[in-house]
Amino acid sequence: MSDPISARTPAPGSAGPDSEQYLTFQLAEQEYGIEIQSVQEIRGYTRVTALPNSPRHLKGLLNVRGTVIPVFDMRVWFGKEPIPCTPLSVIVTVNVGARVVGLLVDGVSDVREVQPGALVRPPDMGIAVNTSLL
């Protein structure tokens, strides 16, 4: 698999003290990353309460120690076909601004260290493409 963060990602443990850490997760054959500081916890898949008339990417609601959070199916969010959950499926709870949300992913890969400045901004596509998740 190619490294979605950057082709210049150092080997684990070789990054310096100023490096940033990313939790990498899988969706289909792709690997994605999210800043580790945003991650609250990684949970095995738990059935969620579906909401009628909700968008396809909203899997449902989950009660996490008394806090009800929305769970988003990241496969659908990224335009992939949804699949039934497997024993490797997990819900990554993350802080998004002042909210906590769950991200349903196929599996968690690793924590990667990235040197400051190693991330490359997405290119200008020349068309109206939302690059906020790249």
Side-chain angles (χ1 to χ4, degrees):
M1 266 186 259
S2 64
D3 187 344
I5 298 170
S6 169
R8 297 174 287 177
T9 303
S14 67
D18 295 333
S19 66
E20 299 173 18
Q21 293 184 323
Y22 289 81
L23 176 72
T24 57
F25 58 89
Q26 299 158 325
L27 294 175
E29 299 298 319
Q30 295 284 315
E31 191 174 55
Y32 298 88
I34 187 168
E35 291 178 344
I36 195 79
Q37 295 166 331
S38 301
V39 176
Q40 203 172 64
E41 72 178 307
I42 302 166
R43 313 170 53 90
Y45 178 73
T46 305
R47 184 180 296 247
V48 298
T49 303
L51 293 172
N53 302 318
S54 62
R56 267 186 85 212
H57 62 271
L58 179 59
K59 186 78 172 170
L61 300 176
L62 179 65
N63 186 330
V64 179
R65 292 182 294 281
T67 302
V68 177
I69 64 169
V71 176
F72 298 97
D73 186 335
M74 297 309 291
R75 275 182 163 268
V76 177
W77 189 280
F78 285 178
K80 300 178 183 310
E81 286 300 313
I83 62 168
C85 292
T86 71
L88 295 177
S89 299
V90 296
I91 297 174
V92 180
T93 57
V94 297
N95 297 311
V96 179
R99 301 194 64 151
V100 176
V101 300
L103 308 177
L104 175 61
V105 300
D106 294 349
V108 171
S109 303
D110 200 358
V111 174
R112 305 252 181 131
E113 295 186 28
V114 178
Q115 292 293 332
L119 296 179
V120 179
R121 295 197 48 79
D124 180 9
M125 304 288 188
I127 56 175
V129 174
N130 181 359
T131 59
S132 64
L133 298 175
L134 300 180

